[in-house]
Amino acid sequence: MKIEEQIQSSALAAVKELYGQEVPAQMIQLQKTRPDFEGNLTLVTFPLLKTSRKKPEDTGTDIGEYLVKNCPAISAYNVVKGFLNLVIAPEAWVGLLNDINADAHYGEKKATDESPLVMIEYSSPNTNKPLHLGHVRNNLLGWSLAQIMEANGNKVVKTNIVNDRGIHICKSMLAWQKWGNGETPETSGKKGDHLIGDYYVAFDKHYREEIKELVAQGMDEETAKQESPLIKEAHDMLVKWEQNDPEVRGLWKKMNEWVYAGFDETYKMMGVSFDKIYYESETYLEGKEKVEEGLAKGFFYRREDNSVWANLNAEGLDEKLLLRSDGTSVYMTQDIGTAKLRFQDFPIDKMIYVVGNEQNYHFQVLSILLDKLGFKWGKDLTHFSYGMVELPNGKMKSREGTVVDADDLMTAMISDARKTSDELGKFNDMTDEEKNEIARVVGLGALKYFILKVDARKNMLFNPEESIDFNGNTGPFIQYTYARIRSILRKAEAQGIVIPAALDGAYKPADKEVELIQKTSEYGAAVEQAGKDYSPSGIANYCYELTKAFNQFYHDYSILGADTEEEKIFRLVLAQNVAKTIKNGMALLGIEVPERM
């Protein structure tokens, strides 16, 4: 039983014996004792005063005396106003460290057959351009959230919806037809997604020139945008695609395959993957069918122009278009269709959409519509809404070709990690292969940690230079601490020191050792809270705090140079479990930790 559970159980027994009443467990509130008071955990007495009918100080004294006599985990207490500060007995700390040591994933829960199934959608790229910095934040948040939900004992399915149809796709296709001269990823030496992205930019460039020319001839800009021959051709191509024209469909399939091969490379480098990928080209018709069903049941209505709408005035929202007058679908229709297919494929209990905050209203509406259409998780779907990410030089616009490419960004981060490590002399006595692998782990770790440590709801500025720092709240700082501990453990092994599976309970840990055990034991609470809040930043913050606590401990105490063999063994077990917890915590962020640095 955990120390907190022992104290809670004993405190409940104390209240019953002292005051003759049983109280609910939630009335026993424990928190970490403030640094300026003596103690490790503090019991707040205020919720118990109605039961005790005594002053806060007297209630604290009553319960404190009872706990010292009856709870083996408590060795002493003091009362400050309504706060009962409890000193944990040394053997309880050693017992706690043994518990942590015995479990390779201490603080994490495993899914069972009864666990709820959580589906998490992230990435959602368009097939007309490569993944960019915004997608990096999306994918890292989605992947990390999936790991956190799994660590909380849920079954998780990771999904992606690819936007592979629509006018933006036709723009790239048309540009390739006009100016591509049969260029392929093989002949150009470019990744397929980059190649297609170049043609999307080319379309926009020629389109702007046409608009400029039409305006110069006396046409107003809005009319020019509609009358441009290029945009008309793109619309004609979209109509042909809708009509299953074999030539257009053939080109669409070929170009999409180039893009998917490119995406796969990017996902692999980023360290993310999916259990199931859905495609808008396959879901939009399902959505139309579901909307027609809702229309027949009176959930939606048809206007005179033949368009279909949902009236959400009763829910305090406006009216929402679901099918255009020509019968074509909108994004909402596609999301309804995707929901239908997913519900057929998986017994979903909870659905989480990782999508930027500009879509907040969209998901508010989607939740209501799915609920109306009978999806049991519709009302409680979660839109994991996150803010935009920018570089110091401003926003990104893909159609203008000023987008920050995900591949280029990751490559630059790895290169910067190699350069910084070389300058700091961290690569001495390593082969080139080792240097490259550590640069990859550190560079990507720096990128992921810098993005994930920020509260997802906030807009953020990604600073590559700041992220690669080996000091402060960065990925490399945490990775370096892990590598340092692993180095100590290797030295211990070389000296023939055998680390036991369990420690002798007679050892009395020093204050800094107690602090480090306590901080390590808080991993489970951090995982649980991150699951409740959908917060990768909570895990990042915990990993940083644990790393800082270890470095403070290491500054004050020698491990291999300890005064006694007993101290040395205890500190090695403690260090080993700090390293394990750092590794597990960083894994929830999708970050690897190197054995050497």
Side-chain angles (χ1 to χ4, degrees):
M1 193 187 286
K2 290 179 181 174
I3 289 172
E4 288 92 337
E5 290 169 359
Q6 290 178 49
I7 295 169
Q8 187 183 57
S9 175
S10 295
L12 288 168
V15 173
K16 187 179 179 185
E17 189 169 313
L18 293 165
Y19 310 122
Q21 282 189 49
E22 288 190 7
V23 294
Q26 60 263 35
M27 286 181 75
I28 305 298
Q29 296 178 8
L30 291 169
Q31 56 195 38
K32 206 169 174 179
T33 303
R34 283 171 46 182
D36 41 338
F37 295 113
E38 186 194 352
N40 307 109
L41 289 171
T42 296
L43 192 155
V44 185
T45 65
F46 299 111
L48 303 169
L49 299 185
K50 276 187 183 176
T51 306
S52 71
R53 297 186 180 179
K54 289 189 175 186
K55 291 178 182 174
E57 293 87 343
D58 296 340
T59 305
T61 302
D62 285 349
I63 296 171
E65 284 181 4
Y66 180 95
L67 292 176
V68 168
K69 284 177 192 168
N70 297 284
C71 181
I74 304 300
S75 62
Y77 77 93
N78 62 84
V79 180
V80 180
K81 295 182 179 173
F83 299 95
L84 169 59
N85 301 318
L86 302 167
V87 178
I88 308 299
E91 56 269 28
W93 289 121
V94 178
L96 177 57
L97 182 54
N98 279 333
D99 289 345
I100 297 168
N101 193 46
D103 186 347
H105 285 274
Y106 181 87
E108 297 180 11
K109 294 174 188 155
K110 285 182 181 170
T112 66
D113 291 342
E114 285 72 48
S115 295
L117 177 68
V118 179
M119 181 176 278
I120 301 175
E121 175 196 291
Y122 57 97
S123 201
S124 312
N126 294 326
T127 57
N128 63 320
K129 55 192 173 186
L131 303 178
H132 56 62
L133 179 56
H135 289 113
V136 172
R137 190 177 197 190
N138 180 299
N139 278 278
L140 296 183
L141 286 169
W143 175 264
S144 179
L145 189 59
Q147 309 315 305
I148 289 166
M149 296 309 282
E150 272 190 0
N152 276 285
N154 298 286
K155 288 181 279 192
V156 174
V157 175
K158 303 183 291 291
T159 68
N160 184 359
I161 174 73
V162 178
N163 298 302
D164 63 341
R165 62 176 282 277
I167 188 67
H168 49 294
I169 311 297
C170 291
K171 288 176 181 178
S172 298
M173 288 164 60
L174 185 62
W176 184 84
Q177 265 188 340
K178 285 182 172 296
W179 306 297
N181 298 315
E183 188 177 29
T184 69
E186 289 75 26
T187 61
S188 65
K190 291 178 184 174
K191 279 175 80 232
D193 51 336
H194 288 204
L195 180 68
I196 302 309
D198 289 347
Y199 284 102
Y200 184 62
V201 172
F203 178 93
D204 192 65
K205 183 182 162 217
H206 286 89
Y207 178 46
R208 283 165 181 271
E209 284 169 4
E210 282 191 351
I211 293 167
K212 201 173 170 185
E213 206 172 298
L214 291 169
V215 169
Q217 290 168 16
M219 200 179 279
D220 69 86
E221 193 170 339
E222 277 311 306
T223 308
K225 283 178 181 176
Q226 304 298 322
E227 293 301 318
S228 147
L230 257 182
I231 203 72
K232 283 184 172 180
E233 276 189 83
H235 278 293
D236 287 345
M237 185 178 268
L238 180 59
V239 170
K240 285 180 180 175
W241 185 93
E242 296 266 0
Q243 292 168 346
N244 260 322
D245 178 272
E247 191 183 329
V248 170
R249 284 283 179 139
L251 176 62
W252 169 77
K253 192 176 176 211
K254 176 172 73 174
M255 291 177 72
N256 273 352
E257 280 171 0
W258 294 345
V259 173
Y260 298 145
F263 284 172
D264 286 347
E265 278 185 54
T266 307
Y267 290 139
K268 188 178 177 186
M269 190 179 191
M270 206 184 292
V272 305
S273 62
F274 310 92
D275 300 307
K276 175 90 179 179
I277 297 178
Y278 293 87
Y279 299 90
E280 189 186 340
S281 56
E282 295 166 3
T283 67
Y284 82 106
L285 291 174
E286 300 283 352
K288 286 171 77 170
E289 195 179 288
K290 210 63 184 151
V291 168
E292 295 287 354
E293 184 188 305
L295 189 64
K297 288 179 178 173
F299 299 150
F300 311 135
Y301 73 96
R302 195 183 293 280
R303 288 189 180 173
E304 283 180 13
D305 66 355
N306 206 40
S307 59
V308 177
W309 294 72
N311 185 340
L312 303 176
N313 294 160
E315 286 83 4
L317 304 174
D318 58 12
E319 299 192 357
K320 183 68 187 174
L321 173 68
L322 298 177
L323 289 174
R324 296 188 189 95
S325 53
D326 60 3
T328 57
S329 61
V330 293
Y331 270 117
M332 191 65 73
T333 327
Q334 170 221 301
D335 276 343
I336 291 168
T338 309
K340 177 193 168 186
L341 289 179
R342 285 172 174 163
F343 198 67
Q344 284 173 1
D345 293 341
F346 300 96
I348 303 167
D349 296 299
K350 180 80 182 167
M351 182 74 213
I352 302 173
Y353 294 87
V354 181
V355 182
N357 57 15
E358 76 278 7
Q359 294 291 332
N360 286 354
Y361 183 75
H362 174 91
F363 284 97
Q364 201 180 346
V365 172
L366 180 64
S367 176
I368 294 166
L369 296 181
L370 291 177
D371 184 53
K372 282 180 187 288
L373 291 167
F375 294 95
K376 66 173 185 176
W377 46 266
K379 192 182 285 186
D380 299 321
L381 74 77
T382 296
H383 173 208
F384 180 61
S385 171
Y386 64 90
M388 296 299 101
V389 56
E390 295 173 7
L391 284 170
N393 60 359
K395 290 186 179 178
M396 308 169 296
K397 292 178 184 164
S398 53
R399 66 177 177 275
E400 293 172 17
T402 57
V403 61
V404 181
D405 180 78
D407 296 313
D408 293 346
L409 179 63
M410 288 190 285
T411 302
M413 290 299 298
I414 293 166
S415 172
D416 287 352
R418 175 77 193 249
K419 189 179 164 196
T420 305
S421 297
D422 273 330
E423 286 169 359
L424 293 172
K426 293 188 183 296
F427 278 165
N428 298 339
D429 309 320
M430 286 191 198
T431 64
D432 265 351
E433 198 178 338
E434 278 181 300
K435 288 177 186 177
N436 290 338
E437 176 58 10
I438 290 168
R440 181 191 69 79
V441 170
V442 173
L444 293 179
L447 169 67
K448 291 178 181 184
Y449 186 84
F450 199 92
I451 285 177
L452 292 173
K453 73 176 181 179
V454 178
D455 180 348
R457 292 165 297 188
K458 294 178 180 173
N459 288 348
M460 68 168 292
L461 194 69
F462 175 66
N463 188 326
E465 218 170 272
E466 206 180 303
S467 73
I468 213 85
D469 196 340
F470 280 79
N471 297 300
N473 189 5
T474 66
F477 171 65
I478 296 168
Q479 289 172 319
Y480 183 63
T481 300
Y482 174 84
R484 170 187 270 174
I485 298 172
R486 296 298 299 157
S487 172
I488 293 165
L489 294 169
R490 282 194 298 273
K491 284 176 185 168
E493 192 181 352
Q495 290 173 23
I497 299 169
V498 178
I499 300 175
L503 290 158
D504 183 344
Y507 183 79
K508 286 189 167 52
D511 288 349
K512 280 283 191 304
E513 291 169 333
V514 163
E515 282 176 32
L516 199 50
I517 296 169
Q518 191 168 8
K519 179 53 76 176
T520 307
S521 76
E522 288 166 10
Y523 176 60
V527 171
E528 190 176 332
Q529 198 59 49
K532 283 177 184 168
D533 299 342
Y534 306 124
S535 174
S537 64
I539 296 294
N541 186 54
Y542 170 80
C543 289
Y544 177 55
E545 291 300 324
L546 178 60
T547 302
K548 275 200 305 182
F550 176 81
N551 282 311
Q552 186 59 56
F553 162 78
Y554 190 62
H555 177 268
D556 295 346
Y557 297 97
S558 176
I559 296 178
L560 293 174
D563 293 337
T564 68
E565 195 65 21
E566 191 183 29
E567 278 181 345
K568 187 191 293 183
I569 295 296
F570 184 86
R571 289 172 189 171
L572 283 167
V573 172
L574 180 52
Q576 178 177 266
N577 283 283
V578 169
K580 174 184 78 181
T581 306
I582 288 173
K583 184 175 185 175
N584 290 344
M586 293 292 266
L588 296 187
L589 303 174
I591 298 173
E592 298 167 78
V593 283
E595 293 294 307
R596 293 179 67 193
M597 253 175 97

